[in-house]
Amino acid sequence: MSDIAVVMELAGDAWARGEDGSLRILQVGDTLSTGEVLVTAAGTRISLDFGGGEQVVFTGEQNIPMTESMAAGTVPAPVENIVQDQSIDDLLAALEGEGDLLDDLEAPAAGAEGGDGGDGHGFVRLDRISEEVGDQEFNFEGTETDGFEVQFAAGELPEEEEPVVEEPVEEPIVEEPVVEEPEEEEPAEEEPVFVAPPTDPAIPAPVPEPAPEPEPEPEPEPEPEPEPEPEPEPEPEPEPEPEPEPEPEPEPEPEPEPEPEPEPEPEPEPEPEPEPEPEPEPEPEPEPEPEPEPEPEPIGIANMTAHTSGQGESSGNYANNNGLTSAAIANHQSAVVSYVDGYYGVDHKSQTDSMGIDTNEALLVHLSGPVSSVTFEINGQVAGSYWHAFNADGGRVGGGPLSGIGEQTFALEGEGEYFKYIAFDGGQLTGGGQPLGADFLIKPLSYVDMGGNSGNFEPFVVQETEVEIETETATYNATTDDDTFDGEDGVVDTFVWTLSDVGGVDQVNNFNLSEEDALDIQDLLSNKGNDDSIEDYIQITQSGDDTTIFISTTGELGESGAGADQTIVVADTTTQEIIDHLIDQGISGLE
């Protein structure tokens, strides 16, 4: 199939039906191919360009096959039958002037080839003429034809007969005017028939139709013979008068009967006592209409809590592998829920980071009732981040990595599974250079509850949206040498180690967890893969009053810290304090 037409304009409905019967909705700019059928609905107007530079318009309800004959150059030009103003002016001038009209018209083409092969016309071309002839009378006495040939047809004109344009013949025929004489009856008024001389070399002049023969007058019907008058019926003979009947003899008067003796009046019977009317049966009490089932309570957001250490793939300060901990019911002491243009995140008070959920931060959403699924909109960077679902008892029932940004629906895989808490944990992507951390916000949109009822979440009102950070901070960066760091009282001290500064044994003094002091060793563990054991990269032991941290950036630690390329001694701390602190910083798997 090849494209033969382009849809230029379309008002209404149109389709292209393929050879297999399938329908394709057409729009402006679409193409039609050979073998397809243009299908239009009632009231539709469509304009097609077949490549000839002019548009062809189809209207109404149609089924038009697209064939090779409709390709460019073969569609009839829409101006083929238009009468040009100049042609009309030339014809009027010839009629008003003197001389023969045939002198001003083009000579007809001779032979089978005809003219110069063009499609133009020097005269008015009419495809069809349809007019009604009324009862007008025409008088042609003394009419000058001025070169026009007039033919009169005898007899009455047929009623409402349409003139027929004869098929063109090889030679134009011009007949002489003929006047037929009527026979024995007055000639009927005759209608003039105008035969135009041929002017278009491509179309010969039409041959005038012969005048119709007069219809013979119908013979008069014979008068009906008069019916004979009916004979009068004979008068009936008079009936004889009846003889009078004799008068009847009078009957004798009957003797009077003796008066009967009066019977004694009977004693009146006592009237029976009326039977008591039965008491009407009580109408049955109508059954109470069943109370309508109460509409389900809408699910809302009961609370949100912010945490400075997310669960990640394993555990965090608000949850562990089994479920939520007691720390989940309230914000972490150094974080609050942030609110930015309808989105929610975590504001870590001890850091000047963004208001989103960053690496090692988590936002826990507490729902007012159990749901089978929820839909949130995620905005920002979710690098390595996870979501986790918990039931009403706090047990972990599902979760997984965030798939990206935009609207996402979170549901459990098994049927009949429901959850009441959902957490969003910030993560990071490692390997191949500098780690890529998370920074994203969430917006609750809708839910489906345990009964299959859906609804939209109402916005959660955050009590505290702005946090003023007045605490003084200090940052200490390790080097490849043996470093000694002395933290300051009343200051948030942060001690940082990177892969580029690995080496030696570093001493940290005055490390105070109550002042939000932090050990940042994330970069030293960035080479650890998901399947690697954490014990091959970090070991924590107690040495008197101090805690010693052995780290192998290549994952080659042996017993008692053998093979460590970085050692950190934190004075006046316990092993459990350091383990809890590092878990709070997002390092999972420590025990």
Side-chain angles (χ1 to χ4, degrees):
M1 296 188 297
S2 58
D3 297 339
I4 64 169
V6 179
V7 179
M8 305 302 293
E9 297 180 6
L10 175 59
D13 298 324
W15 304 265
R17 186 174 64 213
E19 294 179 353
D20 58 353
S22 61
L23 292 176
R24 173 169 59 90
I25 299 176
L26 292 179
Q27 298 179 353
V28 174
D30 289 349
T31 60
L32 287 164
S33 305
T34 57
E36 292 184 321
V37 177
L38 172 62
V39 180
T40 59
T44 298
R45 183 180 187 276
I46 186 171
S47 176
L48 302 182
D49 186 353
F50 287 89
E54 297 180 350
Q55 300 179 14
V56 179
V57 178
F58 301 96
T59 60
E61 183 176 359
Q62 300 200 41
N63 288 265
I64 304 170
M66 299 289 105
T67 63
E68 292 292 344
S69 62
M70 302 179 73
T74 61
V75 180
V79 297
E80 199 171 85
N81 297 334
I82 296 178
V83 177
Q84 302 295 329
D85 293 340
Q86 186 62 37
S87 301
I88 297 176
D89 295 341
D90 295 344
L91 177 61
L92 294 177
L95 291 174
E96 295 176 358
E98 297 181 358
D100 193 348
L101 177 64
L102 300 178
D103 295 339
D104 295 332
L105 300 177
E106 297 177 6
E113 298 297 325
D116 56 359
D119 293 332
H121 306 290
F123 201 60
V124 179
R125 177 181 176 183
L126 301 178
D127 288 339
R128 185 174 181 86
I129 302 174
S130 176
E131 294 183 356
E132 295 184 359
V133 179
D135 298 333
Q136 298 89 342
E137 296 183 356
F138 299 90
N139 184 7
F140 296 95
E141 294 183 3
T143 302
E144 296 182 3
T145 61
D146 291 336
F148 290 89
E149 298 181 4
V150 180
Q151 179 178 345
F152 297 89
E156 297 181 356
L157 294 175
E159 295 182 0
E160 300 182 359
E161 180 177 356
E162 295 181 357
V164 178
V165 179
E166 296 289 336
E167 296 294 332
V169 297
E170 292 184 0
E171 294 294 337
I173 300 175
V174 180
E175 294 189 359
E176 296 296 331
V178 178
V179 179
E180 297 182 3
E181 296 294 335
E183 296 180 6
E184 294 184 0
E185 64 183 27
E186 295 181 5
E189 294 184 359
E190 300 166 336
E191 179 187 10
V193 178
F194 174 69
V195 179
T199 59
D200 192 333
I203 301 178
V207 179
E209 296 182 358
E213 295 182 1
E215 297 181 359
E217 293 184 358
E219 295 181 0
E221 297 181 358
E223 296 182 359
E225 295 182 359
E227 297 181 358
E229 295 181 0
E231 296 181 359
E233 296 181 357
E235 295 181 359
E237 295 181 359
E239 296 181 356
E241 295 182 0
E243 293 182 359
E245 296 182 356
E247 294 182 359
E249 293 180 359
E251 295 181 356
E253 293 182 357
E255 293 179 0
E257 294 181 357
E259 294 181 359
E261 294 179 359
E263 295 180 357
E265 293 183 358
E267 293 181 1
E269 295 180 358
E271 294 182 358
E273 295 182 0
E275 296 181 358
E277 294 183 358
E279 294 182 0
E281 296 181 359
E283 296 182 358
E285 295 182 0
E287 296 182 359
E289 295 183 358
E291 296 182 359
E293 295 183 0
E295 295 185 359
E297 290 286 338
I299 303 297
I301 297 176
N303 194 16
M304 289 186 184
T305 54
H307 305 273
T308 59
S309 176
Q311 184 183 12
E313 298 180 56
S314 178
S315 62
N317 67 346
Y318 74 96
N320 53 36
N321 288 335
N322 296 323
L324 298 177
T325 65
S326 59
I329 63 175
N331 291 330
H332 189 269
Q333 60 183 355
S334 62
V336 294
V337 178
S338 63
Y339 178 79
V340 181
D341 297 332
Y343 293 85
Y344 301 90
V346 175
D347 183 7
H348 197 165
K349 293 187 291 185
S350 64
Q351 299 180 10
T352 58
D353 55 1
S354 68
M355 304 290 278
I357 303 172
D358 300 335
T359 303
N360 302 326
E361 294 180 347
L363 182 62
L364 180 64
V365 180
H366 307 236
L367 302 176
S368 62
V371 296
S372 61
S373 68
V374 291
T375 300
F376 282 72
E377 183 175 345
I378 310 299
N379 187 3
Q381 183 169 281
V382 298
S385 299
Y386 281 75
W387 67 277
H388 300 278
F390 306 89
N391 59 23
D393 297 328
R396 186 179 185 277
V397 291
L402 295 179
S403 59
I405 62 175
E407 289 189 12
Q408 296 185 40
T409 298
F410 304 97
L412 304 180
E413 295 181 358
E415 294 185 4
E417 295 288 339
Y418 306 100
F419 57 94
K420 192 177 178 183
Y421 302 88
I422 182 169
F424 297 90
D425 296 347
Q428 67 177 358
L429 297 176
T430 60
Q434 187 70 21
L436 179 62
D439 184 6
F440 65 96
L441 298 164
I442 65 167
K443 176 191 285 187
L445 297 178
S446 61
Y447 65 89
V448 176
D449 64 14
M450 297 175 59
N453 305 298
S454 60
N456 297 326
F457 285 119
E458 294 293 334
F460 175 70
V461 178
V462 179
Q463 300 298 328
E464 183 180 1
T465 58
E466 296 183 0
V467 178
E468 296 182 1
I469 302 175
E470 299 179 353
T471 306
E472 183 180 353
T473 62
T475 302
Y476 303 88
N477 296 307
T479 66
T480 56
D481 300 328
D482 295 338
D483 301 312
T484 299
F485 303 114
D486 295 319
E488 299 182 39
D489 293 333
V491 176
V492 177
D493 299 316
T494 303
F495 306 91
V496 182
W497 286 264
T498 63
L499 285 174
S500 59
D501 300 318
V502 173
V505 178
D506 296 336
Q507 178 79 23
V508 178
N509 300 320
N510 198 21
F511 184 76
N512 194 338
L513 289 173
S514 63
E515 293 180 353
E516 299 293 330
D517 289 354
L519 300 175
D520 187 351
I521 61 173
Q522 296 283 353
D523 196 42
L524 300 181
L525 304 177
S526 60
N527 292 327
K528 175 185 175 297
N530 293 333
D531 297 331
D532 295 339
S533 173
I534 189 65
E535 295 179 353
D536 294 337
Y537 288 85
I538 182 171
Q539 296 177 11
I540 304 173
T541 62
Q542 188 74 38
S543 302
D545 294 334
D546 303 333
T547 301
T548 302
I549 305 173
F550 298 101
I551 298 175
S552 172
T553 59
T554 59
E556 299 174 345
L557 272 181
E559 293 184 3
S560 301
D565 51 9
Q566 180 67 63
T567 302
I568 303 171
V569 179
V570 184
D572 300 322
T573 59
T574 66
T575 301
Q576 192 59 49
E577 288 176 340
I578 297 301
I579 289 176
D580 292 342
H581 170 70
L582 294 180
I583 290 175
D584 193 37
Q585 295 297 310
I587 300 176
S588 59
L590 296 176
E591 294 180 356

